[in-house]
């Protein structure tokens, strides 16, 4: 579970106000879709949520642990899949997964079972001894998904997770997201693919120019913005359009 209260972030070099007075609660047992156009503040929010960035104002808690005051315990409860899986390229895939498992203190037997399960699921078992630098973008994405799941996170954060995945892997990922939410865990993901959000999410948040313009269920969204006949894509485009368009 995540709580963000009155979060603000300005980038000092550009004086850009990326996020302003942002308040969100993401509950246990739900898939929360985070939507917004390019430059709206999605990635900044995710970096704040994972502790990569520190907010100028406001507070963030993860399962009750403050990211500011108790960052270790807060971050132990998070696993993050970034939108650009370009790190540790000199390591072998197995070395990277075990490094992540070591950071989280996952016992040997548990990690081996999970590595076997998820590597087989995403079709990377045969390349675990290969260097990450030899992987395509899609293979790196599968590796990062596998490593994130080895920790069995209570709070799973994914930034554009479908990019680069083949249809079969994307289907399996969506099934995993549903399974984890059904088990009472939190799934938070950003996407530009409205059809995925429409079919998958329990609730959605829409951000525009650093501010939340909607947060709730799709039924609530349609009730507030035009009725059941409109698609999520249509309403999204209306809410995020520049004035005068």
């Amino acid at each position: 579970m995540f709580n963000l209260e009155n979060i603000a972030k300005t980038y000092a070099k550009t004086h850009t106000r990326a996020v302003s007075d942002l308040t969100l609660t993401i509950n246990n047992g739900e898939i929360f879709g985070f939507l917004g156009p390019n430059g709206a503040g999605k990635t900044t929010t995710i970096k704040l949520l994972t502790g990569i960035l520190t907010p100028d104002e406001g507070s963030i808690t993860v399962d009750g642990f403050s990211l500011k005051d108790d960052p270790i315990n807060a971050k132990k409860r998070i696993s993050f899949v970034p939108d650009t899986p370009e790190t540790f390229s000199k390591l072998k895939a197995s070395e990277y997964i075990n490094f992540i498992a070591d950071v989280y203190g996952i016992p040997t037997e548990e990690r081996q079972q999970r590595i076997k399960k998820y590597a087989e699921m995403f079709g990377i078992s045969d390349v675990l001894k290969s260097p990450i630098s030899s992987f395509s973008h899609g293979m790196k994405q599968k590796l990062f998904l596998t490593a994130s799941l080895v920790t069995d996170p209570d709070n799973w954060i994914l930034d554009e997770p479908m990019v680069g995945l083949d249809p079969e892997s994307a289907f399996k990922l969506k099934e995993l997201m549903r399974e984890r939410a059904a088990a009472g865990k939190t799934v938070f993901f950003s996407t530009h693919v409205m059809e995925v959000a429409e079919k998958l999410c329990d609730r959605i948040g829409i951000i525009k120019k650093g501010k939340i313009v909607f947060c709730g269920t799709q039924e609530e969204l349609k009730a507030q913005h035009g009725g059941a006949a409109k698609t999520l894509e249509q309403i999204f485009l209306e809410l995020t359009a520049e004035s005068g368009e």
Side-chain angles (χ1 to χ4, degrees), residues 96-197:
Y96 173 71
I97 296 173
N98 278 290
F99 166 69
I100 297 298
D102 286 342
V103 169
Y104 282 82
I106 307 300
T108 301
E109 185 175 350
E110 288 182 25
R111 78 172 63 178
Q112 289 175 344
Q113 291 173 351
R114 292 172 188 167
I115 291 170
K116 183 176 186 296
K117 174 182 177 179
Y118 295 115
E120 288 179 355
M121 181 179 294
F122 289 113
I124 61 170
S125 297
D126 295 340
V127 295
L128 290 180
K129 298 300 181 183
S130 301
I132 298 173
S133 59
S134 69
F135 284 18
S136 66
H137 183 281
M139 292 296 286
K140 289 177 182 177
Q141 190 75 349
K142 294 176 184 181
L143 171 63
F144 275 50
L145 287 166
T146 299
S148 72
L149 289 162
V150 166
T151 71
D152 190 27
D154 289 326
N155 302 281
W156 199 22
I157 302 175
L158 307 106
D159 192 1
E160 297 287 351
M162 309 296 174
V163 175
L165 292 183
D166 56 83
E168 182 180 1
S169 296
F171 176 81
K172 290 176 179 178
L173 173 58
K174 287 181 279 188
E175 289 297 297
L176 282 170
M177 293 165 76
R178 291 188 180 100
E179 288 174 11
R180 299 192 73 78
K185 299 179 185 294
T186 302
V187 179
F188 178 103
F189 81 108
S190 71
T191 183
H192 281 111
V193 185
M194 294 298 118
E195 291 85 355
V196 170

